[in-house]
Amino acid sequence: MLTALQVRNYVLIDSLEIDFPEGLIIITGQTGAGKSILLGALGLVMGSKADSSMVSEGADNCVVEAEFETSDMSIRDVLEENEAEWEDGHLTIRRVVNRSGRSRAFVNDCPVPVTVLQDIASRLVDIHSQHQTLLLNDKAFQLDILDHYAGVTGLRQECARLWKMLSELRNELKGIDEKLARLAGERDYNEAQLKQLEAASLREGELEELEEEQKQLANAEEIKAGLAAVEELFTSASSGGDLPSVTSSLKEAGKQLVKVGRYVPAASELAERVETCRRELEDILDEVVTVNSGTALSETRLEEVENRMSLIYGLLQKHSCADLAELIAFRDRLSDTLVDSTLLEEKRMELKAQIAETQVQLNDIASRLHEKRASAALPFASSIAESIREMELPYAVFEVILNDVPVSATGCDSIEFRFSSTGKNAVDVAKCASGGEMSRIMLALKSMMARYANMPTMIFDEIDTGVSGSVADKMGSVICAMGEFMQVFAITHLPQVAAKGSAHYMVSKSIDPESSKAVSTIKKLSDEQRVMEVARMLSGSELTDAAIANAKSLILSSSQTSLRRK
């Protein structure tokens, strides 16, 4: 239930702090006094859209804070999922809106997304506005009420879960079918490309090796000529025949330095260094000879290398690859794609089996839902009809018609509420009921919800629109009866309704003498003030003794009726 409401700088409300009791709470006030503003402030903490127009003129932000007491454990689960504290059923919900229209939301001082407020609001408060009779045209609303009465909310949730699962499986299967169709269309082309790439026997680093070999083969004559000249310089004597070869000279120099080393120690070290040079030159000569002998003058091999390079370059260009590594990766992806179609076929078969199994489960749940709805439809319709008849429609009939439809998240039923005020030829409520009849039907339905939907707080915003006199009194009695087992707020202009209930609040609007700004306030009325407010509603702006006496009589009669009911 709603235990307290604090509002600061919200539209015409500068500052407001008010506590609320259990039972039926009456709220009255002149037209335009600000009753809708009060509802708007409450709607803000319930997650409605925020904008800058909500902030009072001259203020930086507006703050609305509501306190609730609840035993609904599903709210605790929602809070824990969003890292908000659960304080043994006490909820302090706060919404702050700044001048730019941006807002922040808090539950028990923990910041939460606005969607969390919307989620828990559906478990805390049901607000029925004077325009909500349009819900009678809403088939989902009609089905929800019947399901609450039938006690099948658990089955509804399971049905919705299975439907969601089935939809997801079907979407996944559709995606696989589309991919398989695409792969089938591309298979021949992909297979041809893969065959060409696999026949090429590509390996990383091959192109660099081929380019190096091609350079050598293309310049083999020049290479061999140069290497032969090096051999000649290393091994042959000078052209005149007077000097030995380089290596022979170094060998002889080493011998002479060894002899000198007998007398000059430094010469021995020089002999070692000369010998090292000689050996290094001999190694170089050996490698030159090896390279020279290994360099082939082969036009055939050159043609093979160039053909291979041309093949690789052609494949790189065809597949828009920057290098051989990228081309090999493309080849592997093609291979995986062709293999993937086999895996997709297996996945497709698994999905079809899952879909068939889930469909069976869904059909079973939908069938059970239908049976329970069909069993509940007649007593539900009879109960609503009886409630409507008590509000001065003695011949009214109310019917619930279930029709078979394809299975969906709500089962396999569509619903239709039919009504007749004369007891004959009941038709769809949207086509036959007047405004006053609509109000009475909605009140009967809301009364049913109060008993079966476990809603802790219900707010009626002028549900008595379109009725007056004894009908209003009967509607007030229904609302009063609801207040015996839940918290009910009734915003009304009718004295017959205002006389009911255990607490009476009045909304008023005045002009602040300092700022010349209109300000709305709300206060709880004392017993005497309550009599005067009901009298005002009976007689208008000028109070008469008769109106005051009538008001006292109405309030006393309502109190006695409430006591008898208890």
Side-chain angles (χ1 to χ4, degrees), residues 51 89 93 258 390:
D51 61 66
I93 303 176
V258 169
E390 290 177 355

Side-chain angles (χ1 to χ4, degrees), residues 412-461:
C412 58
D413 300 301
S414 71
I415 193 170
E416 182 181 350
F417 285 174
R418 293 181 180 178
F419 172 78
S420 170
S421 60
T422 63
K424 299 178 181 179
N425 303 321
V427 296
D428 192 324
V429 292
K431 299 177 181 178
C432 69
S434 66
E437 291 169 346
M438 283 281 199
S439 294
R440 281 174 266 192
I441 294 171
M442 279 303 297
L443 180 56
L445 292 172
K446 289 288 184 174
S447 177
M448 183 72 73
M449 285 184 66
R451 278 181 278 171
Y452 293 98
N454 297 319
M455 180 64 65
T457 298
M458 191 168 287
I459 299 175
F460 292 108
D461 181 14

Side-chain angles (χ1 to χ4, degrees), residues 138-144 146-147 152-153 155-164 362 365-371 373 402-403 405-415:
D138 187 340
K139 301 303 180 184
F141 171 74
Q142 296 178 8
L143 195 61
D144 284 344
L146 176 61
D147 284 349
V152 295
T153 52
L155 284 176
R156 271 282 296 269
Q157 290 171 358
E158 179 64 9
C159 187
R161 185 190 71 81
L162 288 170
W163 174 256
K164 181 181 179 183
L362 179 62
I365 290 292
S367 178
R368 290 163 60 190
L369 266 174
H370 172 74
E371 290 175 2
R373 286 166 176 165
L402 291 176
N403 297 306
V405 294
V407 177
S408 68
T410 57
C412 58
D413 300 301
S414 71
I415 193 170

Side-chain angles (χ1 to χ4, degrees), residues 47 49 75 153 182 207 209 242 266 367 384 388 407 420 483 556:
K49 185 178 180 181
I75 295 179
T153 52
R182 187 170 62 253
L207 188 57
E209 295 173 6
D242 296 330
S367 178
I384 295 298
I388 295 171
V407 177
S420 170
L556 179 61

Side-chain angles (χ1 to χ4, degrees), residues 439 461-468 472 475 479 491-494 497:
S439 294
D461 181 14
E462 300 184 19
I463 193 172
D464 45 32
T465 298
V467 299
S468 60
M475 293 181 71
I479 295 172
I491 299 173
T492 183
H493 284 294
L494 297 180
V497 177

Side-chain angles (χ1 to χ4, degrees), residues 386-396 421 437 440 468-475:
E386 182 180 352
S387 181
I388 295 171
R389 289 173 192 146
E390 290 177 355
M391 291 181 275
E392 297 195 2
L393 288 175
Y395 303 107
S421 60
E437 291 169 346
R440 281 174 266 192
S468 60
S470 60
V471 176
D473 182 65
K474 297 287 179 59
M475 293 181 71

